[in-house]
Amino acid sequence: EPEVTQTPSHQVTQMGQEVILRCVPISNHLYFYWYRQILGQKVEFLVSFYNNEISEKSEIFDDQFSVERPDGSNFTLKIRSTKLEDSAMYFCASRGTGPNYGYTFGSGTRLTVV
Amino acid sequence: GENVEQHPSTLSVQEGDSAVIKCTYSDSASNYFPWYKQELGKGPQLIIDIRSNVGEKKDQRIAVTLNKTAKHFSLHITETQPEDSAVYFCAATPSDYKLSFGAGTTVTVRA
């Protein structure tokens, strides 16, 4: 079964520092996403990426956030200056088309900002 | 935007009994409705999904029903087993670019 791989599984960072969360989507998928889940709350949409550009973003995804697909396999989320409230589980997802339409989520990166 | 409501927030069932989780959505343009199972420390795992041109779909012990007129859809798990204990999320989307989740249901199957 193809998987979405996320690294690291856990990241602790000081407030104000930059972090980069990494994801390797499923190879033949064309749509890529980042979601986050604050402990005990629902999964929230952050951003979607298609055809090498952002296709939609939420209010959460402000100027402190950016995404990049630097090569043919990786998809990254950068938070430029982390805040305490950025502490959450961040999930990468990818989606295919046609019979492979379903979103596949990675296991997540737990980000703790101290 | 799409708003998905999910009930109940917790559900405790005896092993072998059925579990039903219900969701409503707000955007009549939504056309894709997946259900996810999330175990502790893991990402959401797709367990079943349904498109708006289908009213019901079944996969072994799991079934999903969709009522587009009433804008609600439900997950049914029959013959529950202890390994069905997890948090279940419904979701809906009218587009390719964004999935809106419900708040989740914590299901506990009592042995």
Side-chain angles (χ1 to χ4, degrees), chain B residues 46-49 57-64 76 78:
Chain B
L46 179 69
I47 55 172
I48 195 166
D49 56 12
K57 184 176 176 181
K58 190 173 180 181
D59 182 4
Q60 299 182 349
R61 297 187 296 109
I62 295 172
V64 56
H76 305 252
T78 58

Side-chain angles (χ1 to χ4, degrees), chain B residues 54-74:
Chain B
V54 175
E56 184 173 352
K57 184 176 176 181
K58 190 173 180 181
D59 182 4
Q60 299 182 349
R61 297 187 296 109
I62 295 172
V64 56
T65 58
L66 171 65
N67 183 327
K68 285 222 79 181
T69 304
K71 290 192 282 191
H72 67 69
F73 56 114
S74 301

Side-chain angles (χ1 to χ4, degrees), chain B residues 33-52:
Chain B
F33 308 90
W35 285 88
Y36 289 88
K37 176 182 181 183
Q38 187 178 28
E39 295 173 324
L40 201 62
K42 297 186 179 180
Q45 180 184 16
L46 179 69
I47 55 172
I48 195 166
D49 56 12
I50 192 167
R51 307 280 190 111
S52 60

Side-chain angles (χ1 to χ4, degrees), chain B:
Chain B
E2 175 63 276
N3 182 43
V4 179
E5 299 286 337
Q6 183 172 347
H7 300 279
S9 56
T10 60
L11 181 60
S12 180
V13 296
Q14 189 69 37
E15 183 177 358
D17 287 350
S18 294
V20 180
I21 305 170
K22 299 184 178 182
C23 289
T24 59
Y25 61 98
S26 61
D27 190 340
S28 57
S30 283
N31 55 19
Y32 177 65
F33 308 90
W35 285 88
Y36 289 88
K37 176 182 181 183
Q38 187 178 28
E39 295 173 324
L40 201 62
K42 297 186 179 180
Q45 180 184 16
L46 179 69
I47 55 172
I48 195 166
D49 56 12
I50 192 167
R51 307 280 190 111
S52 60
N53 58 345
V54 175
E56 184 173 352
K57 184 176 176 181
K58 190 173 180 181
D59 182 4
Q60 299 182 349
R61 297 187 296 109
I62 295 172
V64 56
T65 58
L66 171 65
N67 183 327
K68 285 222 79 181
T69 304
K71 290 192 282 191
H72 67 69
F73 56 114
S74 301
L75 178 73
H76 305 252
I77 307 173
T78 58
E79 300 171 25
T80 52
Q81 300 167 4
E83 53 264 36
D84 294 329
S85 295
V87 180
Y88 291 81
F89 291 95
C90 63
T93 181
S95 77
D96 289 334
Y97 302 123
K98 179 180 177 179
L99 202 56
S100 296
F101 282 81
T105 298
T106 301
V107 174
T108 304
V109 180
R110 307 186 306 271

